[in-house]
Amino acid sequence: MVRSEPIGFSLAGGLFATVTATALASLLFTPGQVRGRLLVMALAVGAQALRVPRWPSALATALMAWLLATGFLVNTEAELTLDTDDLLRLCLLLLVAALALGARAATRRLPPAEDTAGDTTPT
């Protein structure tokens, strides 16, 4: 049985991933390239959701990413807004986290591959 890490470590890892992604996105893309900046954040959310053992920390990472993306990558003066585009970005980041969690769960449930190297029966 694999022991999972405490949720506090997962949340700290999510915060580290999103702050790092915010800095990286602001270095790679200009303020007008919001889609590129959001792509970097979505990749960070997906990677963290694949790594963490619990779904609440993956969804909290998506929420942290949305707050940082809205405040620093979309509105470059740390201003949080709540309009239709902001809500769509939140839904996108939550969807990325959910898909990554689903992919993680699916890979854990796959049966082990059978060894057919020594099989000499014709198929």
Side-chain angles (χ1 to χ4, degrees):
M1 182 172 150
V2 178
R3 292 187 57 180
S4 64
E5 66 186 32
I7 196 160
F9 289 138
S10 297
L11 291 173
L15 180 62
F16 178 76
T18 55
V19 168
T20 303
T22 302
L24 184 64
S26 66
L27 290 173
L28 292 176
F29 298 99
T30 64
Q33 297 173 315
V34 175
R35 288 183 180 170
R37 289 175 163 212
L38 191 60
L39 175 65
V40 174
M41 291 301 277
L43 290 172
V45 167
Q48 182 67 8
L50 285 172
R51 191 195 73 76
V52 295
R54 296 189 176 115
W55 65 268
S57 55
L59 297 181
T61 299
L63 180 61
M64 287 185 277
W66 176 72
L67 291 169
L68 289 170
T70 302
F72 296 105
L73 299 178
V74 176
N75 305 323
T76 57
E77 297 179 7
E79 179 184 344
L80 291 177
T81 55
L82 191 61
D83 61 12
T84 304
D85 290 339
D86 296 320
L87 292 176
L88 289 173
R89 280 189 285 276
L90 175 61
C91 290
L92 173 73
L93 292 170
L94 289 171
L95 180 65
V96 167
L99 290 174
L101 285 170
R104 184 177 194 270
T107 57
R108 293 206 179 257
R109 292 192 181 116
L110 288 177
E114 294 181 22
D115 183 21
T116 58
D119 190 11
T120 58
T121 58
T123 55

